[in-house]
Structures are given as C-alpha cells and as structure tokens.
Amino acid sequence: MRMGDVAKDLTAGTVGGASQLICGHPFDTIKVKLQSQPVPLPGQAPKFSGAIDAVKQTIAKEGTGGLFKGMGAPLATVAALNAILFTARGQMEALLRSEPGSPLTINQQIICGAGAGVAVAFPACPTELIKCRLQAQSAMAEVGSGVVKYSGPLDVARHVYQTAGARGLFRGLVPTMAREVPGNAAMFGVYEGLKQYLAGGLDTSKLGRGSLMLAGGLAGGSFWIFVYPTDVVKSAIQVDDFKNPKYSGSIDAFRKILAAEGVKGLYKGFTPAMARSVPANAACFLAYEMARSSLG
C-alpha cells in the first residue's frame, strides 16, 4: 500500500472517528449505565427502568454533562482508533486486490473488516475500560452515598495501574476482540454491500451523501446485532472490582449474567446502542468518505 493511501486513510479515519464520537457518546453513556446497573434484589425495582428513565435520572443528578461523562478518554483516542481501523482495512484491501483499484467482493470486504477488528481491539481495550468505569460509577454507587470514585480519565488509569498494574488496563481484551473482529467484519461487509446495491453495480464512486449515510447507518446497526451480548460481558468485566471481582473471566460473566437475568440480561442497553450506532456511523462513514475524497 502506498504511503499516500495510508496517509489518506489515517486522516479520513480521524475525521470520521471524531464525527462518530460527538454524535453518539450520550447514547453510549446510557448503554453502559444500563449494562452495569446492579441486579435488583427480589421485590425491588431496578435503578433504571429503561433508556428514557436512565436519561432522566442522569440529567437530574449530573446535569446534561453527565451524558458526556467519560468522553475525555475516547475523545483523546477515538480519532486514533478509527485511523487504525480504516488504515488496517485499507491495507487489507490492498493485499487482497488482484490489481490496484480493482473492486473487492463482499466476502473480501468481510475479511478486511475482520482484520481491521484485530488491529483496533488492542488499543480499544484500555480506552473502553476507562470510559466504562467513568460512565458506570454513578449507576454502581451505593444508593445515597454520593461518592464519586474517579475524577476523570487519568484518575481511572492511575487507580487501575496502582491496583492491578499495566495488565489491569487490558482487562476485557478477550471479549473486546470477540466484539471487534466479527462486528467489523459484519459492518464493513454490509457497508460495501449496501453501497453496491444503491449504486446498481461495483462502481460506488458516484453515490451521494444520503446514500453514503444510509449505508453507513445500517452498517453500524449490523455491528451491534451480531455482537451485542459480547459487549455486555465486556462492560461487566471492565467495571468489575479488581480486589474482589464478581467474575473470574468472560465465560463466568456470561454464565452469571444469564443465570441472574436470563437472555434479556445479555441485551441490557441494546436500544440506546442501536439508537447511537445508526446516526453515529452514518456521520462517521460520510465524514470518512468526504475527507478521503477531498484528499484526492
């Protein structure tokens, strides 16, 4: 792959990632709050009855800024993560092309997405851990305690490092990988498939903004449809206490969530995740395509 193409993907991925975060972070905050809220005791109501209730309680207690809690860590890194994701995908495309510029099949795009998922999972894991612990702390705090455990992203990182070392920042790497690889395989496969369908052929260069947003939004939704239970397990592990953990690993977390809450426990926060994913990825892919096109 030419260095010029790498630079284009890095730049366009950065722009796309920033657009995605600004559009979707409040939805992500509600998703994590719903995923991480404690299981209510028999006869007691859950802390949040649903997504709308979580939004109302968050704004009432923390103000509108509470919906953007934890954005510091991904804001500092989401551009880099998307740059890695789109650049890795571009490199995979270059490896699979029979000749420069030739279109790839949908199956080849799925392989490219899976490879990009492997590349992004490693830097994504500590970022997600910091974000989730910030987003979840109010939902997991003892009722009426009013205690805020972390003051910000750096405080989370420092606390985790002091408690569990550098390895602690990579807690949840297995479910992160299990989310990113199939999720991105599905997303990029659906994205390219929809673009070709809307274009009526392999040449998608003339598609308008509306078509690109439609393809990007639906592709983003396909990511969560395939891997959502894995994300629930990831969040549960990443917000778990280091000294007295509730879960010994991914399989244990999966079994305990299923035993305590049934299948619906593996889909906590699914509605805000989908509500976030469609517009956020529509913005991400549109920004990526426009930025890459403007770079020539």
Side-chain angles (χ1 to χ4, degrees):
M1 190 178 186
R2 294 177 301 174
M3 287 306 296
D5 290 329
V6 173
K8 288 178 185 178
D9 279 327
L10 283 169
T11 304
T14 299
V15 173
S19 301
Q20 181 185 49
L21 180 70
I22 293 168
C23 183
H25 191 79
F27 295 98
D28 189 63
T29 295
I30 298 305
K31 171 181 74 73
V32 173
K33 283 179 179 286
L34 290 172
Q35 288 178 341
S36 59
Q37 64 176 324
V39 179
L41 297 173
Q44 291 186 346
K47 183 176 179 66
F48 305 118
S49 61
I52 300 300
D53 183 47
V55 171
K56 290 178 179 177
Q57 287 196 44
T58 299
I59 293 176
K61 295 177 181 178
E62 306 172 54
T64 305
L67 295 172
F68 291 88
K69 187 163 285 185
M71 197 168 90
L75 186 60
T77 57
V78 73
L81 291 177
N82 275 270
I84 291 169
L85 180 70
F86 281 99
T87 302
R89 176 206 180 206
Q91 289 179 316
M92 290 288 292
E93 286 180 330
L95 287 172
L96 294 176
R97 279 196 177 98
S98 56
E99 58 184 55
S102 62
L104 300 180
T105 66
I106 302 304
N107 285 338
Q108 288 175 318
Q109 289 289 353
I110 290 172
I111 293 171
C112 291
V118 172
V120 82
F122 290 95
C125 185
T127 302
E128 290 264 319
L129 183 139
I130 291 170
K131 172 183 71 70
C132 286
R133 291 181 88 85
L134 280 171
Q135 289 173 323
Q137 63 182 347
S138 62
M140 299 185 71
E142 293 180 7
V143 177
S145 68
V147 174
V148 177
K149 192 172 186 179
Y150 307 114
S151 61
L154 291 178
D155 190 36
V156 178
R158 182 165 46 247
H159 174 83
V160 171
Y161 184 79
Q162 290 174 348
T163 305
R167 186 176 178 182
L169 291 168
F170 287 89
R171 173 182 279 186
L173 179 61
V174 171
T176 299
M177 187 77 71
R179 182 190 72 174
E180 293 296 330
V181 175
N184 281 295
M187 183 173 72
F188 283 112
V190 169
Y191 180 62
E192 290 299 328
L194 285 172
K195 280 172 61 182
Q196 290 179 18
Y197 174 78
L198 293 170
L202 295 177
D203 182 8
T204 61
S205 61
K206 300 295 191 292
L207 283 177
R209 295 180 182 182
S211 295
L212 292 173
M213 290 181 71
L214 177 62
L218 293 177
S222 72
F223 182 106
W224 291 114
I225 289 172
F226 284 99
V227 300
Y228 195 78
T230 308
D231 186 66
V232 173
V233 170
K234 179 201 70 69
S235 294
I237 290 173
Q238 290 188 322
V239 303
D240 199 10
D241 188 74
F242 280 96
K243 294 181 179 178
N244 299 295
K246 186 189 303 183
Y247 310 113
S248 62
S250 301
I251 301 300
D252 184 51
F254 176 84
R255 288 173 176 169
K256 286 181 176 175
I257 293 171
L258 193 61
E261 304 171 71
V263 174
K264 70 176 184 178
L266 295 169
Y267 286 89
K268 290 186 296 186
F270 183 72
T271 299
M274 290 298 289
R276 164 193 175 273
S277 186
V278 173
N281 280 283
C284 177
F285 277 104
L286 176 63
Y288 169 81
E289 296 282 11
M290 290 181 65
R292 205 179 193 291
S293 176
S294 69
L295 293 169

